[in-house]
Amino acid sequence: MQKNNAPIALVVGIILLICSIPIRWMTLHNVTISTPRMPDGFPQMPGHFPSMSGMSFSVNGLNGNITLGVELPIWLIVVIGVIGLVLLLLNQFRVAAIPRWGILLPLGISLVYVLYGFGVMIISDEVSMGAGVFLALAGLGIGLWAVLKTRSVPGN
């Protein structure tokens, strides 16, 4: 008898994604605080505030954003990925018949944003990575593996 471990893997992927939210995704080093330019007629603030040497900020899924055309909070990016995994889990249990594109859309959106954030972390000298981004990538990877492993998704 062949065992289907996809539902277990999907639950693990969902747990990994959810656990990535409170964990540190990155630390920004040597941060300078700047103010936006005020419209004409308003008093202008200084462009940069003095900062202490070595000042850094930790970013997690609750306080961080990733901007790729549209600025999305990290927690929302993770929730979009979780939605994709839950839809696939519903298909696995034959509760729903979501087409493959309906599952790949939220997974793809979440994966593109997380990979973009990961890429920015890799090329920047002023950023160190945390475990949160790796947990999110692992959870999304499990979801993509399960979609590709599934030969026929109900509703296709």
Side-chain angles (χ1 to χ4, degrees):
M1 183 168 88
Q2 183 181 8
K3 294 182 180 181
N4 185 1
N5 291 327
I8 295 169
L10 292 174
V11 170
V12 169
I14 290 168
I15 291 169
L16 289 172
L17 279 169
I18 292 171
C19 287
S20 77
I21 294 174
I23 295 176
R24 182 178 59 90
W25 278 54
M26 69 185 96
T27 301
L28 308 171
H29 302 284
N30 298 322
V31 177
T32 55
I33 302 170
S34 60
T35 59
R37 171 125 172 87
M38 299 297 289
D40 291 336
F42 287 91
Q44 297 297 318
M45 306 256 316
H48 293 283
F49 290 101
S51 59
M52 302 166 118
S53 176
M55 189 164 68
S56 63
F57 288 106
S58 290
V59 177
N60 60 37
L62 298 171
N63 67 2
N65 299 312
I66 297 175
T67 303
L68 179 61
V70 176
E71 182 178 341
L72 294 178
I74 293 174
W75 66 264
L76 181 59
I77 295 166
V78 169
V79 167
I80 291 169
V82 168
I83 288 170
L85 292 178
V86 168
L87 292 175
L88 185 55
L89 193 61
L90 291 174
N91 274 2
Q92 289 286 324
F93 288 124
R94 307 266 189 244
V95 173
I98 311 294
R100 188 173 294 230
W101 66 265
I103 295 168
L104 285 174
L105 184 66
L107 282 177
I109 291 170
S110 184
L111 183 65
V112 166
Y113 269 88
V114 172
L115 284 175
Y116 178 74
F118 182 75
V120 168
M121 289 180 224
I122 287 176
I123 63 173
S124 177
D125 293 333
E126 301 296 328
V127 177
S128 60
M129 287 186 258
V133 69
F134 294 109
L135 289 176
L137 284 172
L140 292 169
I142 288 171
L144 290 174
W145 165 80
V147 169
L148 297 175
K149 179 183 169 283
T150 305
R151 289 201 174 110
S152 71
V153 177
N156 284 341

